[in-house]
Amino acid sequence: MADISEGKIIHSEAEISVDPNCTTAFMTIEPPANGGLDMTVDKALSAVAEKGICFGVMKDEITRAVEEKRYGENICIARWQPPVNGEDGKIDYFFKRESTFKPVEDENGNVDYKNLGLVRNIYKGTSIAKITLPTEGTPGTDIMGKPVPQKVGVAVPFNVGKGTELVNDGTEIVASTDGNLAFANGAFCIEESLLIRGDVDVSSGNIDFIGDIIIKGNVLEGFAVTSKKSITINGSVTNGTITADGNITVKLGCINSTLRSELGSIKLDFCENSSIYAGRDVEASSFVGGQVYAGKDIIASGKGVIMGGKYTALENITASVIGSESYAKTLITLGNNAVLTEEMENHKHTIQSYEDKLDQLGKIVSTLTEMAKVSKLSPEREQMKVEAMRSRFQIQGEIKRLNGRIHEIETTLERKQNLSVSCKRAFYPGVTLRINSCIFQVNSMTPHSKATIDDGEIVMKPL
């Protein structure tokens, strides 16, 4: 700076400094002397431009500093646009990796020690995990106008296991099939079948699975196995409960147990004092006591014994021996006419009660509708009217369904059925045969015969 005392005219100057990273710039205005010219905005902007600064210039700040003659101050007059780094991806799982293997406690605090939560049922389409994709971020710009690169987000690593799939543009993992949810090899997977390598006992607890179940051992006393598909048991069932929508196979047999297949068949070696229900066939080498129902056939294969108890099949029954030399009371019911007639009568009774209910609900709706014409109904009565109308709609739908079923039954009952109970070796006294509406008591040992309907009554014909 020149010596002011010499009287030399000194004009105001703007000193511009830039930080090494070109992220900010500062201006210092030197005052004029001896009649020199003051700083102007244009002169200050020119000084900035001479430094190559072209981005983030704060013109308002420069103008204010010049107008206020802020001499000697270090004023920030340019600032960069910093980059916005991308965010890393992440994954949020909706299930724990390990299944909880402990007794299940209900909302009342009661603990079921036979339900250990071994199986985690999951249905197709169920969401397993939500994935947040990484973001690119945006680059920045320094005060010289040069781009400043950002840090791009990194995708989260994950695996898509068997029975699952990636959907919604890679943002969600869902089950692609029904089954048991497990975690293996770094990924959730769906097991469509469940293998129990030993017995169903206190170590496994009850089993309730939506897929096929294979049990290498036995089902022990007091335990239950349930499947939406099929169940195969290599051992036996003792005082157990087996329920499946599909087929049930018990390689050995069952004692004092309940087996129910809604839509499939049941096959076992022996059946003793058990309750058996199958939507299709039931087959065993021997049936002793208990109750057996088959939507199609009951088949006593192998030694083929049916002895004691109640047996109902809608189509045919075949065996080697029915009854016993000790005259064990054995009731054989064949054909669905009797069964369907009973079902139809029950439906008609239900429809009558529904129609009575409809009449009552109709009176409620009519009364409240008339009241509404006089004055606005209270919220309680308005709710009563809505509930009555909703109930009427639901009951009308149920009556329509039951009438449809009655029509199906009436059509079936019109068909002539050619049914028979075939016995390769012998029928024994103590056996009662019922085929549709006909009843026949076996009073003497009858070998190699087939019981069938002839001229409206049950007759024995040689095989």
Side-chain angles (χ1 to χ4, degrees), residues 121-419:
N121 287 308
I122 190 169
Y123 291 92
K124 181 178 179 179
T126 301
S127 182
I128 296 171
K130 178 183 178 182
I131 299 165
T132 301
L133 299 177
T135 59
E136 288 285 331
T138 54
T141 306
D142 69 15
I143 61 175
M144 301 303 181
K146 295 180 180 179
V148 180
Q150 81 281 20
K151 180 182 178 182
V152 177
V154 178
V156 62
F158 62 88
N159 296 320
V160 179
K162 180 181 178 182
T164 70
E165 60 182 338
L166 200 59
V167 297
N168 295 334
D169 298 325
T171 62
E172 187 178 15
I173 300 175
V174 301
S176 59
T177 186
D178 298 341
N180 177 42
L181 180 65
F183 190 88
N185 299 321
F188 279 101
C189 58
I190 310 297
E191 300 170 344
E192 294 187 63
S193 62
L194 179 67
L195 174 63
I196 305 298
R197 299 188 181 278
D199 296 334
V200 174
D201 54 16
V202 292
S203 65
S204 66
N206 294 330
I207 305 297
D208 186 351
F209 183 46
I210 58 180
D212 296 324
I213 300 174
I214 301 171
I215 299 168
K216 293 293 187 179
N218 308 302
V219 177
L220 301 189
E221 183 173 353
F223 287 91
V225 179
T226 304
S227 171
K228 291 291 184 182
K229 292 187 177 179
S230 67
I231 298 174
T232 301
I233 301 168
N234 287 350
S236 62
V237 181
T238 304
N239 264 331
T241 301
I242 311 298
T243 307
D245 285 357
N247 297 331
I248 297 174
T249 302
V250 184
K251 297 292 180 67
L252 295 183
C254 65
I255 301 173
N256 298 327
S257 296
T258 299
L259 278 65
R260 186 177 183 90
S261 169
E262 295 293 341
L263 305 173
S265 298
I266 295 177
K267 186 174 182 179
L268 57 166
D269 181 50
F270 67 88
C271 175
E272 182 177 327
N273 296 324
S274 296
S275 175
I276 309 292
Y277 176 98
R280 294 180 63 82
D281 300 334
V282 177
E283 181 178 355
S285 63
S286 66
F287 295 93
V288 179
Q291 296 190 31
V292 177
Y293 175 94
K296 293 190 69 178
D297 297 348
I298 293 177
I299 305 164
S301 57
K303 59 183 179 181
V305 175
I306 296 178
M307 179 178 67
K310 182 179 179 180
Y311 303 86
T312 301
L314 299 190
E315 294 190 6
N316 295 291
I317 296 177
T318 59
S320 293
V321 176
I322 298 180
S324 69
E325 295 178 354
S326 62
Y327 297 5
K329 185 177 180 180
T330 307
L331 178 61
I332 304 292
T333 300
L334 191 63
N336 61 355
N337 282 14
V339 176
L340 291 178
T341 299
E342 182 179 359
E343 180 186 347
M344 183 172 64
E345 293 303 320
N346 288 336
H347 290 335
K348 288 180 178 179
H349 179 76
T350 301
I351 288 174
Q352 183 58 54
S353 65
Y354 277 159
E355 288 177 343
D356 293 341
K357 183 67 173 177
L358 276 180
D359 184 58
Q360 296 174 10
L361 292 170
K363 291 177 180 178
I364 292 172
V365 172
S366 297
T367 300
L368 293 174
T369 301
E370 291 299 320
M371 292 174 62
K373 294 178 180 179
V374 178
S375 61
K376 184 178 179 180
L377 296 176
S378 66
E380 292 79 8
R381 287 185 173 177
E382 188 65 42
Q383 181 66 24
M384 182 187 299
K385 180 181 176 182
V386 170
E387 292 294 336
M389 294 174 67
R390 183 184 293 117
S391 296
R392 287 190 70 200
F393 179 77
Q394 292 172 343
I395 291 173
Q396 287 167 347
E398 186 64 12
I399 288 176
K400 182 178 179 181
R401 185 189 70 81
L402 292 177
N403 278 325
R405 176 57 181 158
I406 288 173
H407 177 72
E408 290 178 359
I409 293 173
E410 288 173 340
T411 302
T412 302
L413 292 176
E414 291 173 0
R415 302 191 190 114
K416 183 178 180 180
Q417 293 177 299
N418 183 22
L419 306 174

Side-chain angles (χ1 to χ4, degrees), residues 1-11 32-36:
M1 184 181 295
D3 189 354
I4 298 176
S5 62
E6 296 177 357
K8 184 178 180 180
I9 297 173
I10 298 175
H11 303 300
N34 300 324

Side-chain angles (χ1 to χ4, degrees), residues 419 433 435 437-440 450-461:
L419 306 174
L433 298 173
I435 301 178
S437 58
C438 302
I439 298 177
F440 181 85
K450 177 174 72 172
T452 188
I453 297 289
D454 193 356
D455 290 334
E457 64 179 6
I458 297 175
V459 297
M460 290 289 190
K461 295 184 176 181

